[in-house]
């Protein structure tokens, strides 16, 4: 049986933390920024934790993590 491969898109987007949680960056900060408020753009900076309902889906895309 062939080796299981990690989805390359997921590899670039998610990082596993030491406590088992998954880190991700926010969306909606790439383009069309003129109509977004400064407050909204500031809150989208940095990273956050993947929600509990999506953890299984992300783990399926990254079997070796």
């Amino acid at each position: 049986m062939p080796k299981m491969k990690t989805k390359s898109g997921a590899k670039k987007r998610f990082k596993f933390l030491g406590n088992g949680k998954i880190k991700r960056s926010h969306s909606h900060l790439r383009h069309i920024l003129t109509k977004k408020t400064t407050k909204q753009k500031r809150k989208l900076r940095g990273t956050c934790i993947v929600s509990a309902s999506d953890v299984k889906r992300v783990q399926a895309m990254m079997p070796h993590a």
Side-chain angles (χ1 to χ4, degrees):
M1 193 169 159
K3 291 181 180 177
M4 289 178 69
K5 288 191 174 178
T6 298
K7 297 275 185 206
S8 59
K11 180 171 36 178
K12 297 166 192 171
R13 286 174 173 83
F14 302 107
K15 296 280 180 252
F16 282 83
L17 303 176
N19 59 5
K21 292 185 179 181
I22 306 167
K23 184 170 73 166
R24 69 169 178 88
S25 60
H26 289 99
S27 58
H28 306 295
L29 199 60
R30 293 292 185 191
H31 61 107
I32 315 175
L33 298 173
T34 51
K35 62 174 74 172
K36 294 177 182 132
T37 62
T38 309
K39 181 180 179 180
Q40 187 180 358
K41 290 184 278 193
R42 187 170 60 244
K43 286 187 178 289
L44 291 173
R45 279 186 218 145
T47 57
C48 61
I49 303 297
V50 171
S51 66
S53 57
D54 292 326
V55 168
K56 260 186 152 173
R57 187 179 303 152
V58 175
Q59 285 173 339
M61 290 189 278
M62 302 179 73
H64 300 295

